[in-house]
């Protein structure tokens, strides 16, 4: 009882003090200007909202308040605007999605009869997201979804030792090799390799970068936002004082966490990155708009202007239609601001959308599953990731029907172009970064070889004169634009006896390793055209062609092949 009386006494004392203080404040308040549009009735209503217990007090509307007024020598000002979504390190409760990863299904390239369709055209692709996803799946002892395996991204994950171009006047070198297929007797493989000019650090243009960071609730897992923070911190250390960085975050809404800031203020940029937290829904489209606005506000006509999106790909607020987003990004691309995508996490990853955004934004799509992958993409390959040496790069191969009966392009299904797209400079295509290598493989059936498509009733009525052994099998054309140009240039090279090797073992080491990677990818997709190839064959070929392996990526590939031999299928787990 005594404690209860003491509590009542304290409460009465507090009310008495408040009453005394109130008279003083009332005297001052009489001198204050009246707030516009606030009649006495409204003030009376406000008073009724005050609960004596203190559990609910209606807060004033600071956005509608009058200018600062002085009360008893204290200045009262409106508070600063709310922080950008995700700032302050606020995290939602633990959260994890499963089975919501989205990939675009596509039909595997089939063989074509040369006399019916002698020309093959496609856009180059330097994305590597598929390889990292396959690795993340196999590290969980699960085979990846076939739609997640894009053969060209598996092959182009690795750097190949093609001779570099001699001058910047032609930013590519080409390397063609022709050799027997290791999985089908009588067939051959054509390897087309290109390498971009390596821009030295002192020569590279200034970078105007905007980091667009997903801070929604789905990003709270350790392999998502925390990995984003470590990844972008690594990239900051690869930039120099000429570059600028801005940061936009988005969750249920979007906001600017950091205005364009010189990298000379590295500590300030890193502090913002380190304060990020996750929670809320995903207004990705609004974040994209704000990021492009910042990039354009700080646009450098002589530099590289790029938005880097870091997300698990889940857009569920605002524009979520893929075609609408693609259209918006295409329009921004025409202004000279490109978009690259860094994907994170599993269970809720929207690969289909990420691929569409990167391809239409003249940028690359990478999937970051480990700190080591972040180092590869944003440190070791920072130049090729950020600084393009050519855009709208297309390849067209014409096969000679007198030398080649059938062919198929291995991979690049999502990069196919029409024949007339090749010479049309208005058609968008892939980009190549500083020092980057790109590889494509064709499988061919020489004239008179074992047909894949089967014969025709009227084949004997079609006369094709076989060519000599040293004649051209085909002709390669590469069309590209310099980064600041809208007019394309052309490079050509023949496929003839000078690039032919008598046996698979005699083929260049990098060609054999690329073949092993392509064979592995095709096995993961079902192995429709791989003949007798097995995982053990892939291991044997890759081990013999591993060569110098500075960072251990090729050795890691061998481990992935071994893992695939014992991994469970996703379908088996679902049952």
């Amino acid at each position: 009882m005594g404690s209860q009386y003491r509590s009542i006494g304290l409460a009465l004392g507090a009310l008495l003090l408040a009453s005394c203080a109130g008279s003083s404040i009332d005297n001052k308040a009489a001198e204050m200007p009246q707030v516009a549009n606030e009649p006495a009735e409204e003030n009376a209503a406000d008073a009724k909202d005050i609960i004596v217990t203190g559990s609910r007090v209606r807060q004033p509307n600071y956005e509608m308040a009058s200018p600062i007024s002085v009360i008893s020598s204290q200045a009262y000002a409106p508070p600063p605007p709310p922080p950008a979504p995700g700032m302050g390190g606020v995290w939602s409760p633990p959260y994890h999605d499963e089975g919501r990863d989205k990939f675009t299904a596509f039909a595997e390239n089939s063989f074509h009869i040369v006399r019916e369709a002698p020309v093959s055209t496609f856009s180059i692709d330097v994305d590597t997201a598929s390889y990292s996803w396959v690795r993340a799946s196999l590290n969980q002892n699960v085979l990846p979804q076939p739609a997640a395996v894009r053969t060209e991204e598996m092959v182009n994950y690795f750097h190949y030792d093609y001779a570099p171009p001699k001058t910047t006047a032609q930013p590519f070198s080409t390397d063609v090799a022709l050799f027997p297929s290791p999985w089908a007797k009588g067939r051959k493989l054509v390897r087309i390799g290109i390498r971009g000019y390596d821009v030295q650090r002192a020569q590279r243009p200034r970078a105007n970068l905007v980091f667009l960071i997903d801070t929604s609730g789905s990003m709270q897992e350790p392999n998502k936002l925390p990995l984003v923070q470590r990844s972008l911190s690594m990239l900051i250390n690869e930039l120099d004082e000429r570059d600028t960085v801005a940061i936009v975050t988005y969750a249920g809404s979007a906001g600017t966490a950091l205005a364009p800031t010189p990298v000379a203020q590295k500590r300030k940029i890193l502090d913002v990155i380190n304060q990020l937290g996750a929670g809320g829904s995903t207004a990705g489209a609004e974040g994209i708009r704000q990021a492009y606005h910042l990039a354009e506000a700080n646009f450098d006509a002589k530099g590289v202007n790029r938005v880097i999106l870091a997300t698990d790909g889940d857009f569920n607020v605002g524009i979520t239609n893929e075609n609408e987003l693609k259209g918006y990004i295409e329009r921004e691309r025409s202004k000279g601001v490109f978009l690259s995508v860094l994907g994170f996490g599993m269970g809720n990853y929207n690969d289909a959308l990420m691929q569409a955004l990167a391809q239409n934004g003249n940028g690359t799509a990478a999937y970051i599953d480990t700190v080591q992958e972040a180092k590869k993409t944003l440190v070791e390959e920072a130049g090729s990731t950020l600084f393009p040496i050519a855009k709208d790069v297309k390849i067209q191969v014409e096969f000679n029907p007198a030398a080649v009966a059938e062919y198929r392009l291995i991979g690049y299904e999502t990069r196919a172009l029409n024949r007339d797209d090749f010479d049309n400079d208005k058609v968008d295509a892939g980009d190549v970064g500083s020092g980057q290598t790109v590889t494509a493989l064709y499988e061919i059936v020489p004239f008179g070889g074992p047909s894949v498509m089967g014969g025709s009733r009227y084949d004997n009525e079609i006369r094709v004169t076989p060519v000599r052994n040293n004649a051209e099998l085909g002709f390669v054309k590469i069309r590209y634009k310099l980064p600041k140009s809208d007019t394309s240039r052309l490079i050509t090279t023949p496929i003839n006896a000078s690039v032919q090797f008598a046996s698979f073992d005699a083929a260049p080491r990098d060609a054999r390793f690329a073949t092993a990677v392509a064979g592995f990818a095709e096995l993961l997709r079902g192995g429709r055209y791989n003949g007798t190839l097995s995982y053990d064959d892939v291991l044997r070929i890759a081990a013999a062609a591993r060569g110098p392996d500075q960072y251990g990526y090729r050795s890691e590939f061998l481990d992935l092949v071994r893992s695939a031999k014992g991994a469970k299928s996703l379908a088996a787990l679902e049952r």
Side-chain angles (χ1 to χ4, degrees):
M1 288 293 288
S3 62
Q4 183 177 0
Y5 288 138
R6 282 195 297 272
S7 299
I8 294 172
L10 289 172
L12 290 172
L15 287 172
L16 181 61
L17 288 172
S19 174
C20 295
S23 62
S24 173
I25 294 174
D26 288 343
N27 292 335
K28 294 291 183 179
E31 303 172 10
M32 291 173 58
Q34 290 293 319
V35 178
N37 301 322
E38 189 172 344
E41 293 83 354
E42 201 168 308
N43 292 335
D46 285 350
K48 293 178 182 179
D49 281 336
I50 299 176
I51 307 301
V52 176
T53 60
S55 62
R56 181 164 64 94
V57 178
R58 183 172 169 183
Q59 296 296 321
N61 184 350
Y62 287 106
E63 293 180 354
M64 299 297 294
S66 61
I68 300 172
S69 300
V70 177
I71 302 178
S72 300
S73 76
Q74 273 193 314
Y76 288 80
M87 292 304 298
V90 178
W91 289 77
S92 298
Y95 170 96
H96 178 67
D97 273 319
E98 290 184 3
R100 295 182 59 200
D101 305 301
K102 298 177 184 176
F103 296 88
T104 301
F106 52 86
E108 188 175 354
N109 283 335
S110 59
F111 276 89
H112 295 273
I113 297 173
V114 174
R115 67 172 181 270
E116 296 176 355
V119 178
S120 170
T121 309
F122 65 97
S123 163
I124 64 94
D125 191 350
V126 294
D127 294 345
T128 60
S130 180
Y131 184 92
S132 304
W133 180 270
V134 168
R135 176 178 59 208
S137 298
L138 291 175
N139 283 342
Q140 296 185 28
N141 197 34
V142 177
L143 289 172
Q145 307 92 313
V149 183
R150 292 182 288 272
T151 302
E152 70 280 4
E153 295 186 25
M154 299 283 287
V155 171
N156 286 318
Y157 182 83
F158 300 94
H159 185 85
Y160 299 99
D161 194 24
Y162 305 142
K166 297 179 181 179
T167 67
T168 55
Q170 180 175 299
F172 293 121
S173 63
T174 58
D175 192 313
V176 178
L178 174 67
F179 48 90
S181 168
W183 56 68
K185 186 176 181 179
R187 298 186 209 165
K188 293 186 178 183
L189 298 179
V190 178
R191 190 282 316 271
I192 300 169
I194 63 176
R195 179 170 176 173
Y197 181 80
D198 194 358
V199 179
Q200 299 302 308
R201 188 181 183 94
Q203 299 173 322
R204 72 164 178 80
R206 187 182 82 86
N208 163 34
L209 305 179
V210 179
F211 296 160
L212 175 56
I213 304 173
D214 183 350
T215 56
S216 64
S218 65
M219 290 291 290
Q220 68 178 277
E221 297 184 73
N223 63 344
K224 293 187 180 182
L225 186 56
L227 187 53
V228 170
Q229 292 169 302
R230 294 189 67 177
S231 301
L232 295 181
S233 296
M234 289 182 189
L235 178 56
I236 292 297
N237 290 324
E238 292 304 302
L239 303 176
D240 60 39
E241 295 183 354
R242 297 175 299 149
D243 305 322
T244 60
V245 169
I247 299 175
V248 172
T249 60
Y250 65 90
S253 60
T256 299
L258 180 72
T261 301
V263 175
Q265 301 179 40
K266 182 185 299 184
R267 187 68 263 161
K268 179 179 180 181
I269 300 171
L270 293 175
D271 284 346
V272 172
I273 293 173
N274 291 334
Q275 291 175 35
L276 297 175
S281 54
T282 318
E286 179 57 30
I288 288 175
R289 288 195 189 96
Q290 293 196 25
Y292 273 113
H293 175 75
L294 280 180
E296 291 165 11
N298 197 42
F299 188 84
D300 186 342
K302 295 182 179 179
V304 171
N305 304 276
R306 187 178 296 275
V307 173
I308 299 177
L309 170 61
T311 179
D312 63 1
D314 182 23
F315 287 16
N316 54 37
V317 176
I319 299 176
T320 57
N321 181 276
E322 185 176 309
N323 289 329
E324 288 185 52
L325 283 168
K326 285 165 58 177
Y328 176 77
I329 288 169
E330 286 174 1
R331 292 190 293 274
E332 296 301 316
R333 180 188 71 207
S334 66
K335 300 176 185 178
V337 180
F338 296 167
L339 172 70
S340 292
V341 179
L342 304 177
F344 293 82
M346 301 184 82
N348 191 46
Y349 181 60
N350 192 340
D351 175 85
L353 180 59
M354 297 299 93
Q355 288 291 316
L357 297 183
Q359 289 186 15
N360 286 274
N362 273 21
T364 57
Y367 176 75
I368 310 296
D369 60 327
T370 63
V371 173
Q372 290 73 25
E373 183 62 26
K375 183 179 179 182
K376 176 182 185 292
T377 302
L378 301 175
V379 177
E380 296 160 9
E381 300 174 358
S384 59
T385 300
L386 297 178
F387 303 103
I389 52 99
K391 65 181 182 181
D392 293 342
V393 185
K394 310 166 189 173
I395 295 180
Q396 188 170 79
V397 180
E398 181 176 0
F399 290 101
N400 182 353
V404 180
E406 298 165 353
Y407 71 89
R408 75 174 180 110
L409 175 61
I410 303 177
Y412 289 94
E413 286 87 356
T414 63
R415 290 287 194 166
L417 296 174
N418 296 325
R419 181 173 179 174
D420 58 351
D421 290 339
F422 184 75
D423 293 318
N424 187 346
D425 282 355
K426 293 184 178 180
V427 175
D428 181 56
D431 308 297
V432 175
S434 170
Q436 210 156 34
T437 61
V438 185
T439 299
L441 290 164
Y442 281 92
E443 186 171 16
I444 67 170
V445 178
F447 185 86
S451 174
V452 177
M453 301 296 288
S456 167
R457 177 182 178 89
Y458 305 106
D459 277 347
N460 293 333
E461 297 182 20
I462 301 173
R463 295 184 178 181
V464 178
T465 304
V467 297
R468 300 184 306 275
N469 289 333
N470 60 351
E472 284 185 6
L473 278 78
F475 196 67
V476 179
K477 296 189 290 186
I478 301 173
R479 191 171 286 283
Y480 69 95
K481 299 173 188 172
L482 293 175
K484 303 296 182 181
S485 174
D486 292 323
T487 303
S488 66
R489 302 181 180 186
L490 182 66
I491 300 173
T492 63
T493 187
I495 306 172
N496 55 27
S498 67
V499 299
Q500 183 163 291
F501 296 86
S503 68
F504 179 77
D505 291 339
R509 181 173 58 206
D510 275 351
R512 287 181 281 127
F513 189 83
T515 299
V517 179
F520 178 57
E522 297 291 282
L523 286 173
L524 292 175
R525 295 169 66 181
R528 181 180 177 186
Y529 295 110
N530 282 131
T532 61
L533 188 74
S534 66
Y535 289 130
D536 287 330
D537 293 327
V538 171
L539 284 170
R540 175 180 51 80
I541 295 170
R546 176 167 40 187
D549 190 19
Q550 180 180 359
Y551 299 109
Y553 300 135
R554 298 192 176 195
S555 296
E556 179 191 59
F557 172 74
L558 294 173
D559 291 336
L560 292 184
V561 179
R562 295 186 186 100
S563 297
K565 292 177 61 178
K568 301 175 182 178
S569 72
L570 189 63
L573 291 180
E574 290 174 348
R575 287 197 298 270

